[in-house]
Amino acid sequence: CITTSLSLVKNMIKGVTIGFRIKLRFAYAHFPINVTVEDQTVEIRNFLGEKIVRSSTLPKDVKVYRTPVTTMKDELIIEGNDLNVVSQEAAKIHQRSEERR
């Protein structure tokens, strides 16, 4: 219990001073995935050739953007001060783009 509280406080201090960043890469074999970022909304199109648009709205304290094509192709970066919120939003985007059976 004490180590959990200590870890939470350390993550809060690290989040305020440095911040947290999670990188997501788009991997595809045949159908290219189109991802657009507008304000706080991420839209995933043409996933496995589907016509369904999968969208996810992120909270205001989380910053999301795509890397330039010249730097790294097909990469989405999520940044924020709270580790739990940043990792939860990355997990939500990942779950939206998983194959459904």
Side-chain angles (χ1 to χ4, degrees):
C1 184
I2 292 175
T3 54
T4 303
S5 302
L6 186 62
S7 297
L8 289 173
V9 171
K10 283 183 181 179
N11 284 339
M12 287 180 200
I13 293 170
K14 184 178 178 183
V16 171
T17 56
I18 300 172
F20 294 101
R21 174 184 293 166
I22 294 182
K23 297 179 180 181
L24 299 173
R25 295 283 313 265
F26 315 134
Y28 52 87
H30 183 68
F31 297 105
I33 300 170
N34 298 327
V35 177
T36 58
V37 178
E38 293 180 9
D39 296 330
Q40 293 299 107
T41 304
V42 177
E43 292 183 346
I44 302 169
R45 299 175 188 271
N46 198 26
F47 180 73
L48 296 177
E50 296 177 343
K51 300 293 181 187
I52 300 170
V53 177
R54 301 165 190 235
S55 63
S56 179
T57 304
L58 282 72
K60 294 288 184 188
D61 56 343
V62 175
K63 181 179 176 186
V64 61
Y65 59 91
R66 287 191 62 172
T67 56
V69 178
T70 57
T71 306
M72 179 65 70
K73 185 179 176 188
D74 296 337
E75 187 174 59
L76 186 71
I77 296 180
I78 303 170
E79 293 179 342
N81 292 337
D82 190 1
L83 177 63
N84 293 333
V85 174
V86 172
S87 58
Q88 183 67 38
E89 294 303 323
K92 284 181 184 177
I93 292 172
H94 183 305
Q95 284 182 340
R96 301 254 174 164
S97 62
E98 280 187 338
E99 179 184 354
R100 298 182 183 146
R101 295 178 189 243

